[in-house]
Short mmCIF file of all heavy atoms in Angstrom, two decimals:
data_model
loop_
_atom_site.label_atom_id
_atom_site.label_comp_id
_atom_site.label_asym_id
_atom_site.label_seq_id
_atom_site.Cartn_x
_atom_site.Cartn_y
_atom_site.Cartn_z
N GLY A 184 -26.03 24.47 0.32
CA GLY A 184 -25.00 24.77 1.23
C GLY A 184 -25.45 25.82 2.20
O GLY A 184 -26.55 26.39 2.17
N GLY A 185 -24.67 26.04 3.28
CA GLY A 185 -25.09 27.06 4.35
C GLY A 185 -24.23 26.88 5.51
O GLY A 185 -23.08 26.20 5.54
N LEU A 193 -26.15 18.73 6.72
CA LEU A 193 -26.37 19.49 5.46
C LEU A 193 -26.63 18.49 4.46
O LEU A 193 -26.02 17.39 4.29
CB LEU A 193 -25.36 20.43 5.09
CG LEU A 193 -25.24 21.72 5.88
CD1 LEU A 193 -23.97 22.47 5.39
CD2 LEU A 193 -26.44 22.58 5.60
N LEU A 195 -26.59 18.49 0.43
CA LEU A 195 -26.28 19.19 -0.82
C LEU A 195 -26.95 18.54 -2.04
O LEU A 195 -27.07 17.23 -2.11
CB LEU A 195 -24.77 19.31 -1.15
CG LEU A 195 -23.89 19.75 -0.01
CD1 LEU A 195 -22.50 19.76 -0.37
CD2 LEU A 195 -24.42 21.14 0.45
N TYR A 212 -16.57 16.90 -4.83
CA TYR A 212 -15.31 17.38 -4.36
C TYR A 212 -15.57 18.50 -3.46
O TYR A 212 -16.66 19.02 -3.31
CB TYR A 212 -14.45 17.83 -5.58
CG TYR A 212 -13.71 16.88 -6.43
CD1 TYR A 212 -14.59 16.18 -7.38
CD2 TYR A 212 -12.39 16.59 -6.22
CE1 TYR A 212 -13.84 15.18 -8.09
CE2 TYR A 212 -11.74 15.64 -7.04
CZ TYR A 212 -12.52 14.93 -8.05
OH TYR A 212 -11.82 14.06 -8.89
N ARG A 213 -14.47 18.76 -2.69
CA ARG A 213 -14.54 19.93 -1.84
C ARG A 213 -13.18 20.61 -1.84
O ARG A 213 -12.10 19.94 -2.06
CB ARG A 213 -14.96 19.67 -0.45
CG ARG A 213 -14.04 18.86 0.33
CD ARG A 213 -14.63 18.50 1.84
NE ARG A 213 -13.85 17.74 2.61
CZ ARG A 213 -14.05 17.24 3.75
NH1 ARG A 213 -15.29 17.41 4.25
NH2 ARG A 213 -13.18 16.56 4.52
N GLN A 214 -13.18 21.89 -1.54
CA GLN A 214 -11.94 22.60 -1.44
C GLN A 214 -12.05 23.66 -0.42
O GLN A 214 -12.83 24.62 -0.45
CB GLN A 214 -11.67 23.29 -2.82
CG GLN A 214 -10.05 23.89 -2.79
CD GLN A 214 -9.73 24.17 -4.18
OE1 GLN A 214 -10.57 24.54 -5.14
NE2 GLN A 214 -8.40 24.18 -4.44
N ALA A 215 -11.10 23.65 0.56
CA ALA A 215 -11.02 24.72 1.62
C ALA A 215 -9.90 25.65 1.26
O ALA A 215 -9.01 25.29 0.45
CB ALA A 215 -10.77 24.09 2.92
N PRO A 216 -9.96 26.85 1.72
CA PRO A 216 -8.97 27.91 1.33
C PRO A 216 -7.56 27.35 1.70
O PRO A 216 -7.31 26.90 2.80
CB PRO A 216 -9.33 29.07 2.17
CG PRO A 216 -10.83 29.02 2.36
CD PRO A 216 -11.09 27.45 2.39
N LYS A 218 -6.07 24.79 0.64
CA LYS A 218 -5.95 23.40 0.57
C LYS A 218 -6.25 22.88 -0.93
O LYS A 218 -7.00 23.54 -1.69
CB LYS A 218 -6.87 22.74 1.66
CG LYS A 218 -6.34 22.89 3.05
CD LYS A 218 -7.13 22.08 3.93
CE LYS A 218 -6.65 22.18 5.35
NZ LYS A 218 -7.40 21.23 6.30
N GLU A 219 -5.84 21.74 -1.11
CA GLU A 219 -6.09 21.01 -2.46
C GLU A 219 -7.49 20.54 -2.56
O GLU A 219 -8.00 20.23 -1.55
CB GLU A 219 -5.00 19.97 -2.63
CG GLU A 219 -5.08 19.30 -4.04
CD GLU A 219 -4.05 18.16 -4.16
OE1 GLU A 219 -2.92 18.18 -3.35
OE2 GLU A 219 -3.96 17.44 -5.08
N ARG A 220 -8.06 20.62 -3.75
CA ARG A 220 -9.34 20.15 -3.93
C ARG A 220 -9.31 18.63 -3.69
O ARG A 220 -8.45 17.87 -4.20
CB ARG A 220 -9.83 20.47 -5.33
CG ARG A 220 -11.25 20.05 -5.67
CD ARG A 220 -11.80 20.61 -6.82
NE ARG A 220 -11.79 22.07 -6.90
CZ ARG A 220 -12.38 22.92 -7.75
NH1 ARG A 220 -12.99 22.26 -8.85
NH2 ARG A 220 -12.31 24.11 -7.75
N GLU A 221 -10.29 18.18 -2.93
CA GLU A 221 -10.35 16.81 -2.36
C GLU A 221 -11.56 16.05 -3.00
O GLU A 221 -12.69 16.53 -2.87
CB GLU A 221 -10.29 16.89 -0.94
CG GLU A 221 -10.50 15.43 -0.24
CD GLU A 221 -10.73 15.54 1.29
OE1 GLU A 221 -11.34 16.56 1.66
OE2 GLU A 221 -10.43 14.52 1.93
N VAL A 223 -14.49 13.79 -2.40
CA VAL A 223 -15.10 13.38 -1.14
C VAL A 223 -15.93 12.13 -1.41
O VAL A 223 -15.83 11.19 -0.60
CB VAL A 223 -16.12 14.49 -0.78
CG1 VAL A 223 -17.00 14.19 0.27
CG2 VAL A 223 -15.17 15.73 -0.47
N PHE A 243 -20.71 10.87 5.54
CA PHE A 243 -21.42 11.45 4.37
C PHE A 243 -21.94 10.23 3.53
O PHE A 243 -21.39 9.20 3.55
CB PHE A 243 -20.44 12.11 3.50
CG PHE A 243 -19.87 13.44 4.02
CD1 PHE A 243 -20.21 13.83 5.32
CD2 PHE A 243 -19.12 14.22 3.23
CE1 PHE A 243 -19.74 15.03 5.83
CE2 PHE A 243 -18.71 15.49 3.81
CZ PHE A 243 -18.93 15.96 5.07
N MET A 258 -24.59 14.99 4.46
CA MET A 258 -23.42 15.29 5.36
C MET A 258 -23.94 15.32 6.65
O MET A 258 -24.61 16.20 7.16
CB MET A 258 -22.62 16.54 5.00
CG MET A 258 -22.36 16.63 3.51
SD MET A 258 -21.10 17.95 3.16
CE MET A 258 -22.24 19.38 3.45
N LEU A 261 -21.23 16.86 11.26
CA LEU A 261 -20.46 17.73 10.56
C LEU A 261 -19.26 18.26 11.62
O LEU A 261 -19.58 18.45 12.77
CB LEU A 261 -21.16 18.95 10.06
CG LEU A 261 -21.81 18.62 8.67
CD1 LEU A 261 -22.85 19.65 8.27
CD2 LEU A 261 -20.76 18.39 7.52
N LYS A 262 -18.14 18.50 11.05
CA LYS A 262 -17.07 18.95 11.85
C LYS A 262 -16.57 20.25 11.22
O LYS A 262 -16.69 20.55 10.00
CB LYS A 262 -15.86 17.98 11.81
CG LYS A 262 -16.28 16.61 12.35
CD LYS A 262 -15.12 15.65 12.09
CE LYS A 262 -15.39 14.15 12.55
NZ LYS A 262 -14.28 13.31 12.39
N PRO A 263 -15.88 21.14 11.96
CA PRO A 263 -15.33 22.40 11.46
C PRO A 263 -14.44 22.11 10.19
O PRO A 263 -14.42 22.96 9.22
CB PRO A 263 -14.51 22.93 12.56
CG PRO A 263 -15.17 22.51 13.74
CD PRO A 263 -15.67 21.12 13.47
N GLU A 264 -13.71 20.97 10.22
CA GLU A 264 -12.83 20.77 9.05
C GLU A 264 -13.51 20.43 7.76
O GLU A 264 -13.00 20.16 6.64
CB GLU A 264 -11.82 19.73 9.40
CG GLU A 264 -12.49 18.38 10.05
CD GLU A 264 -12.38 18.39 11.53
OE1 GLU A 264 -12.66 19.34 12.19
OE2 GLU A 264 -11.95 17.40 12.07
N ASP A 265 -14.93 20.21 7.86
CA ASP A 265 -15.72 19.95 6.70
C ASP A 265 -16.09 21.32 6.04
O ASP A 265 -16.55 21.24 4.89
CB ASP A 265 -16.99 19.25 7.12
CG ASP A 265 -16.82 17.94 7.59
OD1 ASP A 265 -15.94 17.05 7.05
OD2 ASP A 265 -17.54 17.49 8.50
N THR A 266 -15.71 22.33 6.63
CA THR A 266 -15.93 23.66 5.90
C THR A 266 -15.11 23.75 4.61
O THR A 266 -13.90 23.60 4.55
CB THR A 266 -15.50 24.81 6.88
OG1 THR A 266 -16.37 24.75 8.00
CG2 THR A 266 -15.61 26.19 6.11
N ALA A 267 -15.87 23.95 3.51
CA ALA A 267 -15.23 24.08 2.21
C ALA A 267 -16.29 24.45 1.20
O ALA A 267 -17.54 24.53 1.48
CB ALA A 267 -14.68 22.68 1.83
N VAL A 268 -15.83 24.66 -0.04
CA VAL A 268 -16.70 24.88 -1.20
C VAL A 268 -16.91 23.51 -1.66
O VAL A 268 -15.86 22.81 -2.01
CB VAL A 268 -16.27 25.85 -2.19
CG1 VAL A 268 -17.11 25.91 -3.40
CG2 VAL A 268 -16.05 27.28 -1.61
N TYR A 269 -18.12 23.01 -1.91
CA TYR A 269 -18.33 21.70 -2.41
C TYR A 269 -18.74 21.78 -3.88
O TYR A 269 -19.59 22.60 -4.18
CB TYR A 269 -19.45 21.08 -1.54
CG TYR A 269 -19.00 20.61 -0.17
CD1 TYR A 269 -18.78 21.45 0.79
CD2 TYR A 269 -18.70 19.21 -0.02
CE1 TYR A 269 -18.28 21.02 2.00
CE2 TYR A 269 -18.21 18.85 1.22
CZ TYR A 269 -18.05 19.74 2.17
OH TYR A 269 -17.49 19.22 3.46
N TYR A 270 -18.13 20.96 -4.68
CA TYR A 270 -18.31 20.99 -6.10
C TYR A 270 -18.91 19.68 -6.58
O TYR A 270 -18.36 18.62 -6.24
CB TYR A 270 -17.18 21.22 -6.78
CG TYR A 270 -16.46 22.57 -6.57
CD1 TYR A 270 -15.52 22.79 -5.53
CD2 TYR A 270 -16.78 23.63 -7.25
CE1 TYR A 270 -14.88 24.03 -5.30
CE2 TYR A 270 -16.19 24.91 -7.12
CZ TYR A 270 -15.25 25.07 -6.06
OH TYR A 270 -14.73 26.30 -5.82
N GLY A 294 -20.08 25.37 -7.43
CA GLY A 294 -19.71 25.27 -6.05
C GLY A 294 -20.72 25.81 -5.13
O GLY A 294 -21.46 26.79 -5.41
N THR A 295 -20.82 25.22 -3.92
CA THR A 295 -21.73 25.73 -2.89
C THR A 295 -20.95 25.69 -1.53
O THR A 295 -20.25 24.72 -1.27
CB THR A 295 -23.08 25.05 -2.85
OG1 THR A 295 -23.86 25.61 -1.86
CG2 THR A 295 -22.75 23.53 -2.39
N GLN A 296 -21.08 26.76 -0.81
CA GLN A 296 -20.27 26.88 0.43
C GLN A 296 -21.03 26.17 1.62
O GLN A 296 -22.14 26.45 1.93
CB GLN A 296 -20.07 28.40 0.76
CG GLN A 296 -19.34 28.68 2.03
CD GLN A 296 -17.89 28.31 2.13
OE1 GLN A 296 -17.22 28.69 1.06
NE2 GLN A 296 -17.44 27.56 2.97
N GLY A 297 -20.16 25.24 2.20
CA GLY A 297 -20.66 24.61 3.47
C GLY A 297 -19.79 25.10 4.61
O GLY A 297 -18.47 24.83 4.50
N THR A 298 -20.32 25.70 5.54
CA THR A 298 -19.64 26.24 6.70
C THR A 298 -20.05 25.61 8.03
O THR A 298 -21.16 25.55 8.35
CB THR A 298 -19.64 27.71 6.83
OG1 THR A 298 -19.26 28.41 5.61
CG2 THR A 298 -18.92 28.32 8.00
N VAL A 299 -19.06 25.02 8.80
CA VAL A 299 -19.36 24.36 10.00
C VAL A 299 -18.64 25.17 11.11
O VAL A 299 -17.37 25.18 11.15
CB VAL A 299 -18.97 22.96 10.02
CG1 VAL A 299 -19.33 22.30 11.38
CG2 VAL A 299 -19.53 22.17 8.89
#
Side-chain angles (χ1 to χ4, degrees):
L193 282 172
L195 308 183
Y212 282 79
R213 68 184 181 186
Q214 188 168 29
K218 293 190 176 181
E219 188 176 344
R220 187 168 296 190
E221 174 190 23
V223 174
F243 289 12
M258 306 190 295
L261 286 165
K262 305 174 181 179
E264 51 263 45
D265 295 321
T266 296
V268 177
Y269 285 77
Y270 297 92
T295 185
Q296 176 72 46
T298 302
V299 185

